[in-house]
């Protein structure tokens, strides 16, 4: 079965600082991978998805970017964080016969 | 733009009672997912509904899909405290299961002893 790791689990960063969140998966090859953000008390917003190495689709214009340097690694980055970037960031992969998205444990980001 | 609406947004119910959460969506799709989220935690997959009339059941939860009405329901039978969580429905607009999901706003369910 597949496993999703996200690092770090929590992060507190000042406004204007850079960001790098990592998602790695095990137990599968060439998965579709997704980055979502959940603002406090809200639903999920799809940020990026990737169908393979170097292939990134962006869903929402913002100061975030994503990269997929390896088959099982998906990275979310920012050069300068904004207060509005605070939230719970979830990585997901597509798996199974029913093409279900399974979510990692998440990274809780607070921008001060 | 696909819109997914859930109601109610908040639901408090007593243990042992039955209730239904509704998920309406604005475009044709025959692929809908239900997830559960405990406070401070990630999302857990509950059900995948892949065709009109699909019904899935797990314990005290039962989900159904009516693609013609663009409606899915999550029915809770004889609620117990352990079911307290936020429930999300999500729709795959492509219908192919390999692209983006649009999530509903979530229903925060609280089971009162």
């Amino acid at each position: 079965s597949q496993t999703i790791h996200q690092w770090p689990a929590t992060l507190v960063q000042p406004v204007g600082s850079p960001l790098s969140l990592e998602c790695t998966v095990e137990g599968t090859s060439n998965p579709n991978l997704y980055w979502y953000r959940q603002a406090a008390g809200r639903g999920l917003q799809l940020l990026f998805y990737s169908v393979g190495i170097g292939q990134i689709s962006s869903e929402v214009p913002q100061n975030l970017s994503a990269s997929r340097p390896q088959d099982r690694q998906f990275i979310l980055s920012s050069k300068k964080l904004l207060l509005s970037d605070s939230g719970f960031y979830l990585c997901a992969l597509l798996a199974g016969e029913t093409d279900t998205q399974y979510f990692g444990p998440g990274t809780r980001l607070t921008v001060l | 733009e696909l819109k997914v609406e859930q109601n109610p947004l908040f639901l408090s119910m007593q243990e042992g009672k039955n209730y239904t959460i509704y998920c309406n969506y604005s475009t044709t799709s025959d692929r809908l997912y239900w997830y559960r989220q405990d406070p401070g935690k990630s999302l857990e997959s509950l059900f995948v509904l892949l065709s009109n009339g699909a019904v899935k059941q797990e314990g005290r939860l039962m989900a159904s899909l009516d693609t013609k009405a663009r409606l899915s329901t999550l029915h809770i039978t004889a609620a117990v405290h352990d079911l307290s969580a936020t429930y999300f429905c999500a729709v795959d607009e492509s219908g192919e299961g390999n692209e983006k999901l649009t999530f509903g706003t979530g229903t925060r369910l609280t089971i009162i002893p």
Side-chain angles (χ1 to χ4, degrees), chain A residues 32 34 36 38 41-44 46 49 51 59 88 90 94 97-106 108, chain B residues 31 33 35 37 39-45 48 50 56 88 96-106 108:
Chain A
N32 284 13
Y34 306 80
Y36 289 87
Q38 185 178 33
R42 306 286 295 277
L44 274 72
L46 178 64
Y49 70 96
V51 299
E59 290 300 309
F88 192 35
L90 292 158
L94 192 72
E97 295 179 351
T98 55
D99 287 332
T100 297
Q101 289 188 26
Y102 294 95
F103 287 81
R108 194 165 302 279
Chain B
R31 184 176 287 265
Y33 302 81
Y35 290 88
Q37 186 178 36
K41 303 294 185 181
S42 183
L43 273 72
E44 173 191 352
S45 175
V48 181
L50 300 176
K56 295 284 184 69
F88 291 95
E96 297 173 0
N98 59 1
E99 293 189 25
K100 55 185 179 180
L101 294 181
T102 299
F103 279 78
T105 47
R108 185 176 295 180

Side-chain angles (χ1 to χ4, degrees), chain A:
Chain A
S1 62
Q2 300 83 12
T3 305
I4 306 171
H5 301 280
Q6 289 189 243
W7 184 88
T10 60
L11 190 60
V12 180
Q13 291 285 94
V15 170
S17 63
L19 173 74
S20 181
L21 303 181
E22 184 170 343
C23 170
T24 58
V25 302
E26 297 177 350
T28 184
S29 60
N30 197 31
N32 284 13
L33 296 175
Y34 306 80
W35 277 113
Y36 289 87
R37 177 170 61 199
Q38 185 178 33
R42 306 286 295 277
L44 274 72
Q45 179 186 38
L46 178 64
L47 301 176
F48 301 95
Y49 70 96
S50 171
V51 299
I53 296 174
Q55 300 179 65
I56 309 294
S57 296
S58 174
E59 290 300 309
V60 182
Q62 60 217 325
N63 68 323
L64 299 173
S65 62
S67 62
R68 189 165 176 180
Q70 301 180 42
D71 181 44
R72 301 173 194 179
Q73 185 183 35
F74 202 21
I75 296 173
L76 183 70
S77 303
S78 174
K79 293 181 179 179
K80 289 186 177 182
L81 284 169
L82 306 173
L83 287 174
S84 58
D85 291 324
S86 293
F88 192 35
Y89 287 82
L90 292 158
C91 177
L93 70 83
L94 192 72
E97 295 179 351
T98 55
D99 287 332
T100 297
Q101 289 188 26
Y102 294 95
F103 287 81
T107 294
R108 194 165 302 279
L109 171 67
T110 303
V111 182
L112 301 176

